[in-house]
Structures are given as structure tokens and as C-alpha cells.
Amino acid sequence: MEVNMTYATQDIWTWWIAIYLYFGGLGAATLAVTFLTDMYLKPHRHLVIWGAGAGVVLLALGSMMLFGHLLDKPAVLAVLNPLILFRKPDAWIAWGTQFIIWMMVWGVLYALPYVRETEFPRKVPLIKGLIDRPFVVTIAKLVQRFHRTVGWLAVINGVGVAVYTGLLLQSFPAVALWHNPAVPLLFTVSAFSTAMAFLLLLMYTLINDQADEHIRVLYERIDLVLIAGELVLLFSLYQYLKNGSESAVRSLQLLWNDYGWVIGFIGFGLIVPFLLELKGVTRGWSTRVPILTASVLVLGGGYLLRHYFMYAGVYAYPW
């Protein structure tokens, strides 16, 4: 009997899930890179305050996108309960939620001593009345005592969030674009690349300390390697889809025939910033504009990656 194949693009996980995955990976990787820089490269109060603050906000916003979609479902309360990891250890969304929650907790704690040493937070009404309370002072002293322990707890959870965003998609076997080994690697590399770009934006604008030039150059070099890694992973993904199932081939057609993916993501989200950063690393730029441009393009490309992964998710089945 002849079996005809047909396919349909999934329309349940769309742009709001793309934002959740994007903000989750970007926020977590930003916190991890910020704390590693502060612990091992250079103690940097302003970088920690800005990086931790932005990272926590991004994680919170991303989680709101997901929980808003699941608002009327008991699953929201279930994944917020740490005991779900024992009851349902194969649920990646539960692991991710716990990673995000504890990433935010350790992130806030790590930044707390720096916040108490900074004048600006004392001008914010809610924070001003909180950071001088006795129990907050005690917690801040404990964090200073176990500085690197708290930092590593945050970093481990941050890496967990970045990897989880890819593992969550990989857990859907019906969509070949998602269910392949390249996805967790691609999303993790992308998360840390966008974090480097985001921190470069912060350091060239809001922080702008000339003494941090070696940190900025290091971030540019690391991002250069990460973008190169993304391009290699995308080539591997292309080969996997080209020789894969009906679902894989249909996803390939949707992606590589779409100007938003080919020109928007691969062209302006990866290749152009790679060339700009390569010139900056090898010969330098006389102005900060090219690196700021590259950073903005990398951040835009990071979202486009996740947006098009949602858009091109294809179910294929006998009809």
C-alpha cells in the first residue's frame, strides 16, 4: 500500500516561546560571564551590578512569557515546586525552571555586597529601605565570606539554563529540526555569544571605564570564537536536515528559502559581526562604533535563531 507523506508547521510554540528561550539563555549566560570575570579576571563592582541586574530582569521577563502562556494550567505550580525533579526527573521544563529560579537567587545574593557599597541604589526608595536592614547586612557579610562559592552556584545554574533551552526543544521527537544533537550545543553557544555582545554594549556605554580595555578585547575574542562555532554547528545542522526525514527536509526548505534566516540571521546576525570583530581583534578600530554595531547584530541574530526555529518546526506523518 502506498503511503503519502504530508506535513504541517507547528503553531503552538511561536514567538513568545522564542522570547522565553532567548531571554533565558541571554540572561543566564550574562550572569555566568559577569561573575566569572569578577572572580577570576578583575573584581568589578559596576559590571556585577549592571550584569546581574540585567540578567535577573531578562530571566524574569522570559519566565513571564512562558508562565503567561501556561497561566490557567496547574503545571505552573508544579514546575515551581523543587520536588518535581524527584517526581518527574525527565521533564526538562521542570529542570529549567529550577535552574532559572536558583540562578536568580544566587545572582541577587552575589551582587548584594556590591549593591550595599554603591551610592545609586540608596536613591531608589524600595532598595534604600531594604539594604540596611540587619538581616540583609548579615546575608551580605556571609556572601562576602563565601564569595566564590556563591559565584560558582550562580555560574553552574546559569550554564544549566543555557543548556536547558536547547535540551527543552530536543525533547520533542516529532519535530526533526528540534530533535537532534546540534540543538543544545547551538543554543548554548548562541547564549554565551549574545551575553558577550550584551556585556560589550554595557562596557562601551554605561560603564565605559578605559581601564577595562583588556576585558573588552577578551570578550571580543571569545565572541569571535563562539560565532565561528555557531557557523560550524549550522553547517552540521544543514547536513543533518538535508539527509534526514520528511520533517527535516521540510524544515530545511522553510529555513534556507527564507531571507530572514539566510540574510537576517546568518548574514547580519553572524557573518557581518564576525568580520567586524575579526578586524577589531587583529587590527583594531579607531572608534567603538563597529564593535557596538557588531554587538547589536549579534543580539538581533540570537533572537532570530530562536524565532525561526519555532517558525520552521515541522510535523510530518502518513496521511
Side-chain angles (χ1 to χ4, degrees), residues 100-311:
I100 289 172
I101 290 171
W102 289 106
M103 172 83 255
M104 294 169 69
V105 169
W106 297 119
V108 169
L109 288 176
Y110 187 91
L112 181 59
Y114 287 128
V115 171
R116 295 196 69 255
E117 296 171 2
T118 306
E119 183 179 351
F120 172 74
R122 297 183 180 278
K123 298 178 182 179
V124 181
L126 291 176
I127 299 178
K128 178 183 178 182
L130 181 64
I131 58 178
D132 288 328
R133 290 181 179 273
F135 77 94
V136 175
V137 174
T138 302
I139 292 172
K141 290 179 179 178
L142 281 172
V143 170
Q144 285 181 314
R145 183 179 176 184
F146 300 101
H147 177 70
R148 290 195 175 180
T149 302
V150 174
W152 271 107
L153 287 169
V155 168
I156 290 168
N157 280 279
V159 173
V161 172
V163 176
Y164 142 76
T165 58
L167 289 173
L168 178 64
L169 286 188
Q170 193 191 32
S171 64
F172 290 86
V175 180
L177 174 65
W178 301 351
H179 190 65
N180 71 83
V183 173
L185 290 172
L186 181 61
F187 276 43
T188 303
V189 172
S190 174
F192 279 92
S193 176
T194 53
M196 294 295 172
F198 183 71
L199 288 172
L200 280 169
L201 279 178
L202 288 180
M203 297 190 76
Y204 274 114
T205 55
L206 296 176
I207 299 174
N208 198 24
D209 186 345
Q210 294 302 319
D212 295 335
E213 182 63 22
H214 67 290
I215 298 178
R216 291 194 289 262
V217 171
L218 178 62
Y219 283 176
E220 290 171 26
R221 290 174 177 172
I222 294 173
D223 194 32
L224 197 63
V225 174
L226 291 173
I227 294 173
E230 277 190 77
L231 290 169
V232 171
L233 288 169
L234 284 170
F235 178 76
S236 302
L237 178 66
Y238 178 88
Q239 296 300 319
Y240 168 83
L241 296 176
K242 183 179 71 171
N243 301 303
S245 62
E246 179 77 6
S247 171
V249 172
R250 296 298 184 180
S251 291
L252 176 77
Q253 292 172 346
L254 286 173
L255 290 175
W256 268 270
N257 288 308
D258 193 302
Y259 289 133
W261 172 267
V262 177
I263 297 177
F265 169 52
I266 297 177
F268 285 97
L270 292 178
I271 294 175
V272 172
F274 178 84
L275 295 175
L276 290 172
E277 290 183 353
L278 181 62
K279 166 66 164 57
V281 167
T282 55
R283 298 184 180 181
W285 291 101
S286 59
T287 173
R288 70 182 69 179
V289 174
I291 299 303
L292 290 174
T293 302
S295 298
V296 171
L297 291 174
V298 167
L299 288 168
Y303 172 73
L304 288 177
L305 168 65
R306 291 151 181 86
H307 176 87
Y308 278 100
F309 254 70
M310 301 300 103
Y311 158 75

